[in-house]
Amino acid sequence: MKLGLVMEGGAMRGMFTAGVTDVLMENNIAFDGAIGVSAGATFGCNVKSKQPGRAIRYNKKYCGDWRYGSMKSFFHSGSMFDYDFCYHLLPEKLDPFDTEAFRENPMEFYVVASDLDSGKPAYKLLETGKGKDLAWICASASMPLVSKTVILNGHKYLDGGITDSIPLAFFESIGYTRNVVVLTQPETYVKQPNPLMPLVRARYKDHPAFVLAMQNRHLMYNQETAYVRSREADGSAFVIRPPEELKIKASTTDPSELQRVYMIGRKTAEGLLPSLVSWLMEGHPAAPEDAFINEKESLS
């Protein structure tokens, strides 16, 4: 029985996920594998590299940099989030990503991207934490209309959330039968049709399958959240979600907003920690409780 961690995207709603995963890491809760979509990939990769605190730290420090999410970056580089800054300068020099720890951690880490030609999700296992792995993370997080397509192995990719926003079913299909699922929308959220579809059709007219995926994304998303609830009800998934709408802009230059959402993630995870440990014990009845939680850490 393999234990998985599934992380939804959501741009800067991902600070909620960062708060949750930091609490999990600080309490020594480990997984056999994890999968992240979009922001769930860019921030969730720090779980495999065992770097709690890194995502909130660099986001707060660089959110005001025009290369890190702005229309100036879009007009300058073709993407709101400048590729060279976000996927080279930042992880290699400004706030180094621990690629050695990433490689040595036996936990599998997957990301999801959307193939523009097929309109289907692509799932990629990352192994080095650098080079093409960073390009796959970039592809997973490249939002339509405001990002350049990422070309990998002759295929064009954009945001994984377009074709598989919450890849729980995929993770189950490869053997992860019990999963912690981190969502960035509250339980009552229902996704609506995309009001920007006229722009999408014009911009991606040469990729009709991708346009269709964008058009039907709200249907796919609502089906996936219903599936998550069903797996939560049967006990095979433990879901951590915001108590209410996070109300944070997709790209914000306000560090206090990032901290606010991050702390909601932390508080939510801390509040659910005893229940999570009990759920983990149900899946591993022979394991001691301290296999899942570092009791020296405060739960408050």
Side-chain angles (χ1 to χ4, degrees), residues 85-99:
F85 180 80
C86 295
Y87 299 98
H88 287 291
L89 182 60
L90 200 160
E92 293 170 3
K93 296 184 181 299
L94 299 179
D95 197 321
F97 184 62
D98 192 338
T99 56

Side-chain angles (χ1 to χ4, degrees), residues 8-55:
E8 182 186 5
M12 288 308 170
R13 295 197 312 273
M15 285 293 95
F16 175 86
T17 302
V20 170
T21 54
D22 279 359
V23 169
L24 299 182
M25 285 189 278
E26 290 162 6
N27 287 280
N28 292 338
I29 296 177
F31 300 88
D32 298 305
I35 186 166
V37 183
S38 194
T42 57
F43 305 151
C45 61
N46 293 291
V47 175
K48 183 169 168 64
S49 65
K50 300 180 179 180
Q51 291 178 278
R54 180 174 177 268

Side-chain angles (χ1 to χ4, degrees), residues 168 172 177 226-239:
L168 175 58
E172 290 176 336
T177 53
Y227 183 73
V228 169
R229 288 193 295 271
S230 73
R231 303 307 270 163
E232 183 180 26
D234 70 23
S236 63
F238 187 96
V239 183

